[in-house]
Amino acid sequence: LRHASVLFAHRTTRGSRGMAELRRRRPPAETSEPLPSDASDTLSDTDVDCGASSASETDMAERDPSREAGSFGPAGHTSGENKLTKLVKRLFFGTSLLLFLIFVLSLGHLTTLAMLLIAQVLMFRELVNVRYKTRLVKTIPWFRTTQWGWFWCCMVYSYGNSFSQEKLLSLIRSPTLVGMLPYVQLLSMAAYSFMLMLFVLTLKAGYYKYQVGQLAWTMAVIVVTVVQVNSFTQNIFNGLFWFLYPVGLVICNDSMAYFCGLAWGKKLTQKPFLAISPNKTWEGFFGGGICTVIFAFYFPLLLVSYFHPTVCPCEALFDPWIDCETPPPFLPLLPLERDYTKTRSHFEPLLSSALESYDALQRQLLGQSQPLLRIQLHGLALGAFASLVAPFGGFFASGIKRAYKIKDFSAIIPGHGGVFDRIDCQLIMGLFTYIYTSTIVDGGGLIARERVLALATALPAEERLLLYRELTASLRDAKLL
């Protein structure tokens, strides 16, 4: 007992000294003086941030004024709010967002791209604010300016590089804009060099680790909000279908997972689904996935039949969207013109027979004008991805919120939180859609003949003549001439 009491007293004394040393190292709350020079090499980001896990209500309010109303998120999301009120609010503003999206899509490709750009700006603002500390930033010169400088530097390069590619370059009719595009990379390089020099010059003694940590966080946010979202630009101009369709799949999966979890959650298994999202259930995840795959198979029929212009690639940047001939990915799958005597596998005749049987069934149920389309089979792959992988984009966002003890990224959308709260799953879904259409879907159906002709007429006369001869030779080899 005597030995135990001595050991306890020793540990208590050592712990008290450690807490005193930690308090001495922490920067004062109200002073603008820098930390001691010797502390810059010993303090971690957590020390400089005063501990994200132990941040007080005042620190949370400094980071975002909208969080002053509650200790765990913006106003309107406090724990005391009635669940029915939350549900009604979410349904009302969710429907309003959907109607607004349809309105923007009806205005054309360029308006949709402008909406995407605004969403990128709002997402970047929300994510960098997660680690924002007002009382520390006040002492660091040009702190917010450098963050936004990096963002716009990457935005200029991303969009300039996209429109410099031949596929989107053919959409621009203005010779002035076409002539400026080759210099976008040079401008981006100049901006990058300036931002690098500015960051180094603004480094301040006592805050090195905090500033470098913030730079790393800013770059990570740029990867999410700029690099990943760049794929949406290609999807929009390949045809608004390739923007609306994956967005619809994610909305369907999110909604059906919620209702399936509400109806059958914890009834088949009590095992938790994910620790970072305790409200998610296995029943909701798989129930929403099954509903999404079914929706992905039939939703293209609605778009192709009643919103046919959405399948048309953009032909001119500033022109309104118009109807066109149906691109190959949206044509009927059957008949399959194959000689099965030359097939390598005996499964192909069986597959053809099954597809023919289902095609006849679909025509019988939905009408002769609704055959089995090629895009419906592609929809199964996209629906499976939206069900199994895309939700983890939302879980990734939940992990960030758990780490920094916030409920939502902002309160810009009542009942839903911030922009990133709503489109966290959309980002990886849009990226997969772009890669899938570029590699699997028939690329020839994603570019119109008019755009190919515009590219050909932009060539010098000698190269156009050479192109004509090569095209003529290829047609003769195919016995089409």
Side-chain angles (χ1 to χ4, degrees):
L1 290 175
R2 186 183 304 112
H3 176 72
S5 61
V6 171
L7 181 61
F8 177 79
H10 173 69
R11 290 185 175 179
T12 303
T13 304
R14 187 174 57 181
S16 300
R17 290 176 180 174
M19 292 299 296
E21 180 67 14
L22 180 61
R23 284 194 294 269
R24 186 182 64 81
R25 290 180 179 180
R26 286 183 177 177
E30 299 298 333
T31 182
S32 60
E33 297 180 0
L35 295 174
S37 57
D38 59 343
S40 61
D41 294 330
T42 57
L43 287 181
S44 64
D45 291 337
T46 306
D47 294 327
V48 177
D49 289 349
C50 295
S53 60
S54 60
S56 64
E57 297 299 326
T58 304
D59 294 335
M60 300 292 285
E62 283 180 343
R63 208 179 303 168
D64 191 343
S66 64
R67 292 173 190 157
E68 294 177 355
S71 62
F72 200 72
H77 280 69
T78 56
S79 58
E81 187 177 16
N82 184 272
K83 290 186 177 181
L84 180 60
T85 305
K86 285 185 180 181
L87 180 60
V88 172
K89 185 187 295 186
R90 287 177 64 88
L91 289 176
F92 174 78
F93 285 99
T95 305
S96 301
L97 285 174
L98 183 59
L99 294 176
F100 174 74
L101 175 63
I102 295 174
F103 171 73
V104 172
L105 290 173
S106 67
L107 298 179
H109 302 81
L110 194 60
T111 309
T112 306
L113 184 64
M115 179 190 66
L116 179 65
L117 191 149
I118 294 173
Q120 286 180 275
V121 173
L122 294 176
M123 282 192 298
F124 180 80
R125 176 183 177 274
E126 292 172 357
L127 287 172
V128 295
N129 280 347
V130 168
R131 288 171 55 93
Y132 183 67
K133 294 289 193 300
T134 303
R135 61 185 179 79
L136 290 179
V137 172
K138 287 189 299 185
T139 62
I140 302 176
W142 300 93
F143 181 82
R144 300 289 279 180
T145 303
T146 54
Q147 281 189 319
W148 285 97
W150 286 116
F151 172 74
W152 286 112
C153 175
C154 295
M155 286 284 284
V156 170
Y157 176 80
S158 176
Y159 279 95
N161 185 63
S162 295
F163 281 97
S164 296
Q165 299 176 9
E166 292 182 354
K167 199 170 186 179
L168 296 186
L169 183 63
S170 63
L171 303 176
I172 303 176
R173 298 289 186 263
S174 172
T176 303
L177 293 177
V178 174
M180 292 173 59
L181 284 175
Y183 301 98
V184 170
Q185 289 189 352
L186 181 62
L187 177 63
S188 302
M189 183 63 202
Y192 176 81
S193 302
F194 174 77
M195 292 307 306
L196 179 62
M197 296 169 61
L198 181 62
F199 173 74
V200 174
L201 293 174
T202 55
L203 288 173
K204 191 171 182 178
Y207 296 92
Y208 293 149
K209 288 188 177 181
Y210 177 74
Q211 289 179 274
V212 173
Q214 287 294 94
L215 176 63
W217 175 252
T218 301
M219 292 303 173
V221 171
I222 287 175
V223 170
V224 174
T225 60
V226 180
V227 178
Q228 192 172 211
V229 180
N230 182 55
S231 58
F232 283 76
T233 304
Q234 304 288 343
N235 293 341
I236 289 172
F237 291 108
N238 284 340
L240 289 176
F241 174 92
W242 299 108
F243 176 81
L244 179 60
Y245 184 58
V247 169
L249 295 184
V250 173
I251 293 175
C252 174
N253 181 258
D254 188 32
S255 302
M256 297 312 299
Y258 173 77
F259 288 112
C260 289
L262 196 64
W264 300 296
K266 301 294 181 68
K267 293 184 178 179
L268 298 180
T269 177
Q270 296 292 326
K271 186 177 181 181
F273 181 68
L274 279 178
I276 60 174
S277 295
N279 292 330
K280 306 295 182 182
T281 62
W282 290 96
E283 294 84 354
F285 181 77
F286 287 107
I290 294 173
C291 294
T292 302
V293 172
I294 296 174
F295 177 79
F297 188 74
Y298 290 104
F299 188 41
L301 294 175
L302 176 66
L303 295 179
V304 173
S305 300
Y306 299 100
F307 303 96
H308 190 269
T310 59
V311 306
C312 300
C314 180
E315 297 181 5
L317 187 61
F318 297 101
D319 292 348
W321 59 328
I322 57 177
D323 207 351
C324 64
E325 295 182 9
T326 303
F330 304 95
L331 293 175
L333 180 65
L334 301 176
L336 296 177
E337 298 179 357
R338 290 187 180 183
D339 184 4
Y340 290 107
T341 61
K342 300 180 181 180
T343 57
R344 298 180 180 180
S345 172
H346 64 279
F347 290 105
E348 292 190 24
L350 298 177
L351 177 61
S352 176
S353 176
L355 292 176
E356 290 175 357
S357 300
Y358 179 79
D359 180 72
L361 177 62
Q362 183 169 295
R363 288 175 183 271
Q364 182 178 359
L365 295 177
L366 303 179
Q368 293 298 318
S369 61
Q370 298 291 349
L372 179 64
L373 304 180
R374 300 177 186 177
I375 188 60
Q376 288 183 261
L377 298 186
H378 293 304
L380 294 177
L382 293 170
F385 188 90
S387 303
L388 301 176
V389 181
F392 283 84
F395 302 147
F396 170 72
S398 298
I400 296 176
K401 290 186 285 187
R402 291 272 177 185
Y404 291 96
K405 297 187 180 300
I406 58 177
K407 178 65 183 294
D408 295 320
F409 288 100
S410 73
I412 192 173
I413 308 174
H416 293 267
V419 175
F420 191 67
D421 290 293
R422 285 298 85 208
I423 61 178
D424 45 13
C425 301
Q426 301 283 0
L427 302 183
I428 190 172
M429 186 67 207
L431 178 61
F432 174 75
T433 302
Y434 166 67
I435 295 175
Y436 184 85
T437 55
S438 301
T439 56
I440 305 300
V441 180
D442 182 11
L446 301 180
I447 182 169
R449 290 191 300 271
E450 291 79 2
R451 291 169 63 182
V452 177
L453 183 61
L455 289 173
T457 53
L459 297 173
E462 296 81 4
E463 294 188 12
R464 276 184 285 168
L465 182 59
L466 181 61
L467 177 63
Y468 166 75
R469 292 173 179 172
E470 292 177 350
L471 182 61
T472 302
S474 64
L475 291 175
R476 285 175 178 171
D477 292 341
K479 297 182 180 180
L480 298 177
L481 288 180

